Amino acid sequence: MHNKFPLLEKTFFTVSGGVASAIWKFPRTVEIETTNACNSNCTMCTRDRMTRKIGIMSWELFEKVVNECAKHKVHSVHLHNFGEALLVDDLPDRIKHAKRLGIAEVKIFTNGSLLTGDMAERILNSGLDKLKISFDGIDKNLYETTRRGLSFDEVQRNINEFMEMRQKKHFKKPQVSISCLDLSSDTKAKNKFLHYWRRRVDNVSIGKVHNWGNLRNFKKSPAVRKLPCFRLWSKLTILWNGEVALCCVDYDGQIVLGNVCENTIADVWKGKCLKEIRQFHLRGEFDKVPICKFCSA
């Protein structure tokens, strides 16, 4: 059952200036969930709690969404959300379509396990701008106990072969980044990990684990949120079935802002439901949106 919010009639926020006005009209980044299926069962993930159906966004719906993004000159389109994007066989064609329409930045997140063979070649030739690989685990043991079902050696080989393929073609894109969650206190091992990948990819980082709106507590629970979340003014997350979720942390689509099968992205972005949630954030009333109250993302 989706959370419901009473709808407010008045505008709650006034800004001036061309840039701020443009942000109001349409999100700067649109996250399009090509699929919520995944080939791994990671320990830091909430897949075991997800109740919504598994599916792949139809080409027709994808085309409708990305065409509207192009019309409104969205800067960045992410073709992923809560799933492994490379499970979608026509993903390279979707990337090409978005680039043909003039989307400045097309980006995907992946675990890298399927970045091999024909798929790797097609991704490389698709025009993709940014490829971010979640490689969580600074060594084989930590990786395979964290990203259950995946092989450290295979994913490492996939990444290295992809970079070699890009070099042979003299391509500068996609820009390849590796993101690793900080799951170890071994500073020496972390430095070794960073040194290895900095010589092979464009960027590598080790970041903190977030708590999925307090549904996963790896460390001491955070204090109640004190500042508004910038995502409410910059990003929109569209699930594979057309429902618009509150954000990427709302993995189960508990708070649905609208549906782009029935409405436009612009309608949802300027809709009363999202306006009210923004107002709660501005007033510091995070308890009105439970998923936001203790969120550390």
Side-chain angles (χ1 to χ4, degrees), residues 55-288:
I56 295 174
M57 182 178 285
S58 69
W59 177 269
E60 291 74 23
L61 179 56
F62 167 77
E63 191 172 36
K64 177 181 187 292
V65 169
V66 79
N67 284 358
E68 187 180 356
C69 289
K71 175 184 175 182
H72 288 273
K73 302 187 185 304
V74 167
H75 172 73
S76 184
V77 166
H78 298 180
L79 302 186
H80 61 265
N81 180 44
F82 198 69
E84 173 49 52
L86 295 186
L87 285 169
V88 180
D89 185 64
D90 67 357
L91 180 67
D93 298 323
R94 300 184 188 223
I95 297 168
K96 286 181 178 179
H97 182 67
K99 292 306 296 181
R100 279 196 298 266
L101 291 174
I103 302 295
E105 179 184 280
V106 180
K107 180 179 182 178
I108 62 170
F109 274 64
T110 175
N111 61 37
S113 62
L114 303 175
L115 190 65
T116 185
D118 180 61
M119 177 58 81
E121 182 82 26
R122 291 164 63 209
I123 288 291
L124 186 59
N125 293 323
S126 67
L128 182 68
D129 296 289
K130 291 185 177 181
L131 175 67
K132 192 166 186 177
I133 302 167
S134 298
F135 196 90
D136 300 310
I138 55 177
D139 56 38
K140 181 179 176 67
N141 179 61
L142 183 56
Y143 179 91
E144 293 184 354
T145 55
T146 301
R147 289 198 163 262
R148 294 174 298 194
L150 302 185
S151 164
F152 177 92
D153 294 330
E154 287 180 7
V155 175
Q156 181 172 270
R157 182 171 61 251
N158 289 350
I159 299 169
N160 283 325
E161 289 180 352
F162 186 81
M163 297 308 296
E164 290 172 6
M165 192 187 309
R166 192 188 77 170
Q167 184 178 16
K168 287 179 181 178
K169 289 179 175 286
H170 304 289
F171 286 0
K172 294 183 178 180
K173 290 183 178 181
Q175 181 186 69
V176 178
S177 301
I178 285 182
S179 174
C180 179
L181 292 176
D182 192 358
L183 302 172
S184 172
S185 59
D186 188 339
T187 302
K188 185 176 180 180
K190 282 191 272 192
N191 288 336
K192 181 180 179 181
F193 175 89
L194 290 169
H195 178 72
Y196 177 87
W197 285 114
R198 280 171 177 162
R199 294 180 293 132
R200 290 168 170 79
V201 297
D202 300 303
N203 183 58
V204 58
S205 62
I206 297 179
K208 296 187 180 299
V209 184
H210 72 77
N211 66 357
W212 292 100
N214 213 29
L215 288 177
R216 281 285 189 266
N217 291 321
F218 298 94
K219 298 180 181 180
K220 182 180 178 182
S221 294
V224 176
R225 176 181 285 277
K226 295 181 180 180
L227 296 174
C229 180
F230 77 94
R231 295 169 188 259
L232 296 174
W233 286 268
S234 62
K235 293 184 178 182
L236 206 64
T237 301
I238 302 172
L239 306 182
W240 69 268
N241 63 353
E243 292 182 337
V244 181
L246 176 61
C247 70
C248 59
V249 175
D250 186 7
Y251 63 90
D252 214 20
Q254 295 178 16
I255 301 175
V256 174
L257 306 174
N259 193 313
V260 295
C261 294
E262 305 159 358
N263 304 105
T264 65
I265 299 172
D267 288 337
V268 177
W269 182 248
K270 295 181 288 187
K272 293 178 180 178
C273 187
L274 186 50
K275 283 183 179 180
E276 182 176 26
I277 295 173
R278 289 179 182 133
Q279 187 177 49
F280 288 148
H281 272 243
L282 289 172
R283 294 198 306 242
E285 297 176 347
F286 304 110
D287 58 320
K288 298 287 183 66

